[in-house]
Structure formats: C-alpha cells, structure tokens
Amino acid sequence: MEKIIFLENIDPVDFFGANNKKLQKISSFFPKLKLVARGNEIKIIGDDNTISILEEKINLMMDFYHRFNVLSESTIEKIILEDSEDFEANAKLESDVILYGNRGRAIKARNNAQKKMLDAISKNDLVFAVGPAGTGKTYLAVALAVQALKEKRVRRIILTRPAVEAGEHLGFLPGDLKEKLDPYLQPLYDALIDMMPYKKLNDYFAEGVIEIAPLAFMRGRTLANSFVILDEAQNATGVQVKMFLTRMGENSKFVVTGDLTQIDLPDIKKSGLQKAADLLENIEDISVIRFQDVDIIRHKLVKNIVDAYEKDEKKR
C-alpha cells in the first residue's frame, strides 16, 4: 500500500529536521515501512495496518507543531510510544495560555489588567485598551488575533497604525511604499515574529491572510471576518478614529490601543482616542480597559521612568 500525507502550513525543515534527522527517527520505529520526504509531502509505503498507525501518529505530530510551534525528537518519540489518547490529553493547552509562541514559549495574561482585557475581547466586538507604555496592550491583542486565526474564528488579521513621526523629521525615505512605511509598523512585525514560525508568517503575508498597513489605507474598506487592531491610536485624529471604527464588518473583532501620554500629533488636542473611548464606553458590546502605571510589565525601570515624567508634568 502507498499513502501520501501533506504537511499543511509546516516548514518541512522544522518537521523533517536538518538532513531529515527527525524523519529518520520516525522511520526507526517503523522498520517495515518506507518513508520518502518530498517537499511538503511524506510518502509511506508498506503494510496497510502499519501505515494507519503511523498516519495517526504523524497527525498528532502536526497538531502538536501547530499548537506549540516546535517539534523535537524527544516529542516525536513520546508521541510514537505513548497511547494516542493519553498523549492528546497530556498535550491540552493550559486554561490560561492564549497560545504558544516560537520555541514553545507560553503567552498568557500577566496581570489583572491584561486578564480584564482578555476577557473583554472574548465578550465584546470592540475593545479600547488605554494606558502607559510597557503594559503589553499591543502584544496581548496580537496574541489574541493569532489565536483567533489559528482556531479559524476569523479569516484574516489586519494590523494598522497612524504613520506619525515620534518627534522626529525623517524627511524623504528611500525605497518603495512598503519600505517607507515599515519603520512605523515594525513593533507589529516584532510581535508576530514572536508568535509564529517565520516561513508561515511570510506565507500569510504573501496570501493576504495577515496585513499590516498604515491607518490611511483603511478608508473605504469593510473589514469582515477579521481581527483588526489599531495600535498607537493616540496619534489618530478624531476623524481618523471614527473612520476606522466604521470599517467594522460582520464577524469581526476590533481592538484599539494607545497611550494618551505619548501623543506625537502637532496639536495634541486633535487626538481622537480619549473622546472615542469616553463616548462609546457605555454602548453594549464595547468595552474600555484602562491600564495604570502599576500594570507595566517591561523592565522594572520603565515604571520608574513613567512615574518620574508624570510627577514632572504635575509640577508644571
């Protein structure tokens, strides 16, 4: 008998190993079968019953890889030697883990404010997360977007930011439009790179499953079946925030994040974040989560720096 198994959304090098080392590990447990790796396919030749057993094990390996973004030789051995039902039970996600990033690192809410944000996004279609830098607002939102995409609750992730210079005049930037805008959007790329294998991420970009674009590019669109994040919303004007919020289509989640102490607009009074959060807070299916200095989770000095600047502002 002959069976071909396709590795969907998996880098063959990650699954087969360098020089097919992991594939050889699998073969060592099934000496009566012949395994041939070709691109994203495994061809298995041998006895029908034994092929069925190996197919079940390979499906478990693929599930494990998609869940944890990693598949080691020791895990392969464990999957093959353990009873399939026992392994599935032991590999269940922890209840408080949003997803596993690259190298199997668990991403979860790290304080009460983040837990409130997580709960709010699960229950509401529009959530504002407002607070100081370092509270993990954007990172958590991106993690929840990736989780929703993996679980097929949405078809696309769209991440956007206003292209506003942070107190600098960058002037003419060389390159095409994407290269000119990438510096503004880099923090969103950084979060995604933490959460999924590089090849899969590039495939999603190429296929349009994940899109990162400046806020101005949202005008005139209807964003349905999508998880959409507006980051650095304090640098969007009232008109821009309204334009963004009215892009919402069916089966979509919108998350708006921002820090009102870091407005880079020439006229800070034109920032539309505070007005939108205050105006919409009491509408059903809309939630506003307000982070405080105590919620900062970056380096311990970040909280002290924020406190020092706030004290200086009060003196002024």
Side-chain angles (χ1 to χ4, degrees), residues 245-256:
L245 296 177
T246 53
R247 301 305 94 206
M248 184 180 286
E250 291 183 1
N251 189 40
S252 286
K253 292 273 187 185
F254 271 44
V255 179
V256 180

Side-chain angles (χ1 to χ4, degrees), residues 28-166:
S28 68
F29 287 97
F30 295 89
K32 294 182 179 180
L33 298 179
K34 181 180 179 181
L35 276 65
V36 180
R38 290 179 181 171
N40 280 63
E41 295 179 350
I42 308 173
K43 181 189 281 187
I44 310 170
I45 303 168
D47 172 71
D48 190 31
N49 290 333
T50 313
I51 288 176
S52 295
I53 294 169
L54 176 55
E55 183 180 11
E56 182 184 18
K57 298 297 185 181
I58 288 176
N59 285 333
L60 278 174
M61 293 175 203
M62 289 194 287
D63 288 344
F64 187 93
Y65 177 85
H66 284 305
R67 189 174 291 170
F68 300 103
N69 291 321
V70 67
L71 181 69
S72 65
E73 287 186 51
S74 60
T75 301
I76 288 171
E77 185 171 339
K78 201 171 184 181
I79 289 172
I80 292 171
L81 295 178
E82 279 191 18
D83 179 87
S84 295
E85 289 185 8
D86 288 344
F87 184 84
E88 282 188 288
N90 292 333
K92 292 280 186 193
L93 286 172
E94 299 172 45
S95 59
D96 60 342
V97 173
I98 299 166
L99 57 86
Y100 289 85
N102 289 328
R103 304 184 185 278
R105 187 174 65 85
I107 298 172
K108 60 177 78 175
R110 294 175 60 182
N111 54 37
N112 286 333
Q114 286 198 356
K115 286 176 183 175
K116 286 180 183 177
M117 180 177 168
L118 194 157
D119 187 50
I121 292 172
S122 70
K123 293 177 181 177
N124 299 282
D125 291 336
L126 172 58
V127 173
F128 291 86
V130 183
T135 49
K137 306 178 297 296
T138 301
Y139 195 83
L140 185 66
V142 173
L144 290 166
V146 172
Q147 180 196 51
L149 183 64
K150 280 190 168 188
E151 295 177 358
K152 298 184 178 178
R153 288 184 277 116
V154 298
R155 294 178 189 168
R156 303 180 66 202
I157 295 174
I158 299 171
L159 311 176
T160 184
R161 287 180 131 200
V164 176
E165 299 161 354

